Amino acid sequence: MTRTRAPLYFAAMAALILAVGFLQSWNSALSILNMGLISAIMALGVNLQWGYAGLFNVGVMGFVALGGLAVVLTSMAPVPAAWAAGGGRVLLALVVGVIAIVAAALTFKRLPKGRIRGAVIAAILIVGLWAYRTLFDPAVAAIEAVNPAVTGYLGGLGLPVLLAWPVGALLAAGAAWLVAKTALGLRSDYLAIATLGIAEIIVAMMKNEDWLSRGVKNVNGLPRPVPYEIDLQQADWFLTLMHKIGMDPVTGSSIFVKLLYAGFFLAVIVIIVTAMELALKSPWGRMMRAIRDNEVAAEAMGKDVTGRHLQIFVLGAAIIGFAGAMMTTLDGQLTPTTYQPLRYTFLVWVMVIVGGSGNNWGAVLGGMLIWFLWVEVEPIGAWIVGLLTSGMEDGALKSGLIERVAYMRYLTMGIILLVVLRFSPRGLLPEK
């Protein structure tokens, strides 16, 4: 049944995107397609954690944000004046902080339990914090004073932007390892609390540490893996192509760029889904599902449950971070204030649940469908409300309906989730 339904669902999804192209504009249709593909990759990461291992991650937003930060750190050009003003001191301060933490951890392991151990650890941490702040604070002030209207931060490494995508995966994986190493041995609700906390910490750091990512001033003009529209509009070969197909070069350049992005994103999805399907059908995949279904029995059979959970949690976070880097590259800017739990945690979970937890193609379908509805429900709702109120007299009821069109998006997401859970609790494409 699932094999029969899947092509029909994806055909219907393609028809919806084509309908937007014909009825609205192809630029809108391709924008929905590209963000839908990125959302599908985020859903694949959550599906790996929840659908394969039953790990409840409510910190998706944080891993997405780390992927976006990776684009800045990897692809933006370094700011020489900022590095000269305090870059070296910032690096030295970070090294001092790491040394203090490592020294405290080693002391905890080697000294016997008691007041002496507590006093020594406290002394190490206090001295380390003092040394760290002594080096860090003046260095940051000097960096952020360097032309703050344009730079005011260290910049990045100036590498090709495509390298930022795997770097985003590595940053997210590193954060996931730190969280999971601490919380996975505890009850599952502790993992949820830990991931929620780390996500908020990451976003707060990005908003406030101007020296790292310009904070709320945003980083604009990120490099792209595709040509700029203005360059295409001045290229003879492109103008000739537009003349042959009878399209305006300005509109055609925007569509062409979005098609190139869609090609990149589709290639990533094919690679990830192929790898996940092969892993699911392997002994490793069968072991993960056995652990998910009955941890006690799997542990009795000699399986390292905590180790496998750590492994799959890190892999899922890496996929989410990869998608976050792709999204920031598509946007062309890093805007920390846009990272909200509703969009980058709740909505991704809706995608996984609606598509079908444990089914990779279901996660892709859910990502595409929910993002399409997230974008299109509001204009469709405005059109419906306009029809309903066209014959009404001006008054509180009419103005109230018009003013509340913006709530259609949230109302629709809730209704869809309730309907799917009621009539298809395993999702549109259930796990096989």
Side-chain angles (χ1 to χ4, degrees):
M1 179 65 76
T2 301
R3 291 182 180 179
T4 305
R5 283 189 295 178
L8 294 177
Y9 285 145
F10 280 104
M13 191 69 247
L16 290 174
I17 294 175
L18 290 173
V20 173
F22 284 113
L23 299 176
Q24 296 181 10
S25 74
W26 290 107
N27 268 315
S28 297
L30 289 172
S31 295
I32 292 173
L33 173 64
N34 285 331
M35 277 305 301
L37 292 171
I38 291 173
S39 299
I41 296 172
M42 295 180 191
L44 283 169
V46 174
N47 185 56
L48 183 63
Q49 295 170 336
W50 174 253
Y52 283 30
L55 299 177
F56 189 40
N57 173 18
V58 291
V60 179
M61 174 186 69
F63 301 126
V64 173
L66 283 174
L69 178 63
V71 179
V72 173
L73 299 181
T74 303
S75 64
M76 288 300 289
V79 182
W83 276 100
R89 284 181 289 165
V90 164
L91 292 179
L92 180 59
L94 295 175
V95 170
V96 168
V98 171
I99 290 174
I101 293 172
V102 171
L106 292 176
T107 302
F108 181 83
K109 289 182 178 180
R110 294 184 178 181
L111 289 183
K113 184 178 180 181
R115 293 182 179 178
I116 295 178
R117 184 174 73 174
V120 173
I121 291 175
I124 292 172
L125 292 177
I126 291 171
V127 172
L129 178 62
W130 173 82
Y132 169 79
R133 302 303 301 191
T134 300
L135 292 167
F136 186 77
D137 291 346
V140 165
I143 291 168
E144 294 178 355
V146 176
N147 196 8
V150 179
T151 55
Y153 77 126
L154 291 173
L157 299 176
L159 299 173
V161 70
L162 288 180
L163 291 178
W165 298 3
V167 171
L170 289 175
L171 284 181
W177 185 87
L178 290 173
V179 174
K181 193 69 176 175
T182 304
L184 276 179
L186 306 174
R187 288 193 333 226
S188 58
D189 50 346
Y190 286 99
L191 177 63
I193 294 169
T195 53
L196 177 62
I198 196 65
E200 294 295 340
I201 290 170
I202 290 168
V203 174
M205 177 197 71
M206 290 174 58
K207 289 179 181 178
N208 292 285
E209 299 298 332
D210 289 11
W211 64 275
L212 183 65
S213 60
R214 282 179 52 81
V216 296
K217 293 183 287 187
N218 307 335
V219 179
N220 301 309
L222 294 172
R224 302 166 58 171
V226 299
Y228 286 92
E229 289 83 352
I230 189 65
D231 294 334
L232 289 173
Q233 295 163 22
Q234 297 172 356
D236 292 336
W237 68 269
F238 186 77
L239 293 175
T240 302
L241 176 62
M242 292 297 100
H243 179 72
K244 286 182 179 179
I245 63 177
M247 182 177 287
D248 174 48
V250 175
T251 303
S253 62
S254 180
I255 291 175
F256 185 78
V257 167
K258 288 182 173 66
L259 284 172
L260 290 178
Y261 272 121
F264 277 115
F265 301 156
L266 279 170
V268 171
I269 278 192
V270 169
I271 293 171
I272 291 176
V273 171
T274 301
M276 289 177 66
E277 285 290 307
L278 291 174
L280 186 62
K281 296 172 183 177
S282 69
W284 178 86
R286 292 190 291 272
M287 175 186 66
M288 291 309 308
R289 286 199 283 189
I291 291 174
R292 177 198 64 188
D293 295 338
N294 194 326
E295 289 186 18
V296 176
E299 198 163 17
M301 295 295 291
K303 304 301 181 184
D304 182 5
V305 173
T306 302
R308 298 289 75 76
H309 277 172
L310 175 64
Q311 184 183 65
I312 205 163
F313 188 78
V314 169
L315 288 173
I319 294 174
I320 297 169
F322 200 100
M326 292 167 59
M327 185 186 70
T328 301
T329 302
L330 177 66
D331 292 341
Q333 63 179 1
L334 177 67
T335 311
T337 54
T338 61
Y339 291 108
Q340 301 293 335
L342 177 65
R343 164 65 183 97
Y344 297 109
T345 297
F346 169 75
L347 201 63
V348 176
W349 269 99
V350 173
M351 294 170 182
V352 174
I353 294 169
V354 170
S357 175
N359 189 317
N360 296 317
W361 289 112
V364 174
L365 176 66
M368 297 290 297
L369 176 62
I370 296 301
W371 178 254
F372 175 87
L373 294 172
W374 183 257
V375 174
E376 288 296 316
V377 155
E378 192 169 335
I380 293 172
W383 178 73
I384 294 173
V385 169
L387 286 178
L388 294 175
T389 58
S390 59
M392 291 184 181
E393 296 182 0
D394 292 339
L397 178 60
K398 182 176 181 179
S399 61
L401 288 172
I402 294 173
E403 290 172 1
R404 287 165 176 77
V405 167
Y407 301 149
M408 288 291 292
R409 174 179 285 175
Y410 310 108
L411 177 64
T412 303
M413 292 300 106
I415 291 174
I416 289 172
L417 187 57
L418 288 173
V419 169
V420 170
L421 289 175
R422 170 61 182 84
F423 296 102
S424 183
R426 298 177 60 202
L428 297 176
L429 294 176
E431 182 181 3
K432 300 174 183 178

